[in-house]
Amino acid sequence: MHKVWAQCCIAAFIALLFTRFWLLCVLYAAWWFVDREAPLRGGRRIHVVRNSAVWRHMKDFFPVTLVKTAELDPRQNYLVGFHPHGVLAVGAFINFGTEATGFSTIFPGITPHLMTLPLWFRVPFLRDYLMSAGLVSSDKESAYHVLHRPEGGNLLAIIVGGSQEALDARPGSCTLLLKNRKGFVRVAIEQGSPLVPAFSFGENELYDQVSNPKGSWLRWIQHRLQQIMGISLPLFHARGIFQYSFGVVPYRRPINTVIGKPIPVLKKHKPSDEEVDRVHRKYLEELSKLFEEHKAKYNVPEDSHLEFI
């Protein structure tokens, strides 16, 4: 999703440089430099942007639903692991980057922050929009800033599988890139923030993807491009605007994002690898339990189970 917006923003910025508004671009560039640390300091949310009717229409298109299974105490800060990434992480953005599904009503007193790649905060105009929606940079410094709030009430959502997981996003897939992803667990322990698993049923159903099994030439190229650019480039397709046979418009399939119960974490400044592994195993267990308890409600086959790679 961010890739399309980034291209439009870069094109607009370059085009303005060759008009009589070129001075505005220069002034914006100066402001950009002065404000460069903002994505690491919690961003700059604007409620009018988060409450825009555009996001409510987008939510209704699929539709997207946010499901609560446990209360979150506003006196604490939480770290939410969001799964799966899907192709465009639609559920993560709609639920945590907007108020379309009523996050503030469902979880009163909790302010959501969604992490995204630092790359997007280097794109003119897009960076300001992302911060206005409550998005922050996926740097450790940014995570510490959000979770360090002494009075609590902050929620940091991390799409743990990242863009690499998008390469395995296709209908019916239950594969999560999580087996060796432990950095978010270490951050939670260092900050003493409860871990909350979240699974977005339907996230992988929005697009078909060109076959790219590991070992194939396409997967090799995608992996190399990801190493160079920092983002993955899945070859996906779905429906068109006026026809249903082919296009890049996502299928209209429901997305149900289920937020699990918090996993208590004992704060420790420098946790050992064994301590991180123990909490990580507990997280995997709770995520699997969340998936198994709710999959029947969202038409997931009984024989489908989460696979961690």
Side-chain angles (χ1 to χ4, degrees):
M1 187 184 300
H2 295 343
K3 299 170 188 175
V4 177
W5 294 350
Q7 293 171 350
C8 294
C9 289
I10 292 173
F13 185 80
I14 294 175
L16 285 173
L17 283 173
F18 295 93
T19 70
R20 59 181 178 177
F21 300 108
W22 64 270
L23 182 58
L24 292 178
C25 291
V26 174
L27 293 174
Y28 178 83
W31 160 250
W32 183 2
F33 178 78
V34 172
D35 193 52
R36 64 188 181 281
E37 297 296 321
L40 301 174
R41 299 291 183 268
R44 188 170 45 248
R45 69 181 55 236
I46 299 175
H47 293 290
V48 173
V49 175
R50 287 179 55 85
N51 284 283
S52 172
V54 172
W55 308 130
R56 291 196 295 275
H57 290 306
M58 183 175 177
K59 181 262 297 184
D60 293 336
F61 174 84
F62 296 99
V64 182
T65 305
L66 181 63
V67 181
K68 177 173 71 173
T69 63
E71 296 291 339
L72 298 184
D73 186 350
R75 294 171 297 181
Q76 287 188 299
N77 297 314
Y78 297 91
L79 195 158
V80 172
F82 181 92
H83 314 273
H85 183 286
V87 171
L88 298 179
V90 173
F93 176 75
I94 290 295
N95 287 302
F96 302 112
T98 81
E99 286 294 331
T101 54
F103 183 94
S104 295
T105 301
I106 297 174
F107 296 105
I110 303 292
T111 301
H113 302 265
L114 176 62
M115 298 192 99
T116 190
L117 292 173
L119 169 69
W120 305 126
F121 294 101
R122 302 188 188 112
V123 178
F125 308 135
L126 177 62
R127 68 181 299 275
D128 299 282
Y129 166 71
L130 293 178
M131 286 193 289
S132 70
L135 276 69
V136 296
S137 178
S138 57
D139 291 280
K140 185 175 289 188
E141 181 181 351
S142 176
Y144 287 162
H145 180 87
V146 172
L147 297 175
H148 195 64
R149 184 181 181 185
E151 64 271 28
N154 273 349
L155 180 149
L156 182 66
I158 301 177
I159 308 174
V160 182
S163 59
Q164 186 177 346
E165 191 175 79
L167 297 177
D168 289 312
R170 50 179 46 87
S173 174
C174 294
T175 300
L176 300 180
L177 186 60
L178 185 57
K179 188 175 182 179
N180 296 311
R181 296 279 174 116
K182 303 177 183 180
F184 72 106
V185 175
R186 184 176 296 275
V187 169
I189 297 174
E190 291 174 347
Q191 295 299 311
S193 300
L195 279 165
V196 183
F199 194 88
S200 197
F201 292 91
E203 195 74 45
N204 282 338
E205 310 301 314
L206 306 185
Y207 287 99
D208 292 310
Q209 188 172 168
V210 175
S211 180
N212 60 341
K214 292 182 179 179
S216 65
W217 66 269
L218 177 57
R219 189 61 167 253
W220 182 85
I221 292 174
Q222 290 173 322
H223 181 65
R224 290 295 296 167
L225 288 174
Q226 183 184 5
Q227 290 179 322
I228 296 171
M229 303 170 61
I231 58 175
S232 64
L233 297 172
L235 296 181
F236 58 89
H237 59 89
R239 50 164 287 186
I241 298 177
F242 302 111
Q243 44 78 27
Y244 295 89
S245 57
F246 189 82
V248 295
V249 177
Y251 296 121
R252 297 191 67 176
R253 294 171 179 169
I255 301 172
N256 296 281
T257 303
V258 182
I259 309 296
K261 64 180 181 179
I263 302 170
V265 173
L266 182 63
K267 184 175 182 178
K268 188 170 184 180
H269 180 56
K270 291 185 178 180
S272 65
D273 291 341
E274 290 75 16
E275 290 170 319
V276 172
D277 289 343
R278 183 169 61 253
V279 176
H280 184 259
R281 285 195 298 271
K282 177 64 175 177
Y283 181 86
L284 296 185
E285 292 172 3
E286 290 299 322
L287 178 60
S288 295
K289 183 179 178 181
L290 182 72
F291 178 82
E292 295 296 334
E293 288 179 348
H294 293 86
K295 66 181 184 181
K297 302 176 187 176
Y298 306 117
N299 300 316
V300 177
E302 182 63 29
D303 59 351
S304 292
H305 307 284
L306 292 183
E307 178 187 2
F308 303 122
I309 61 173

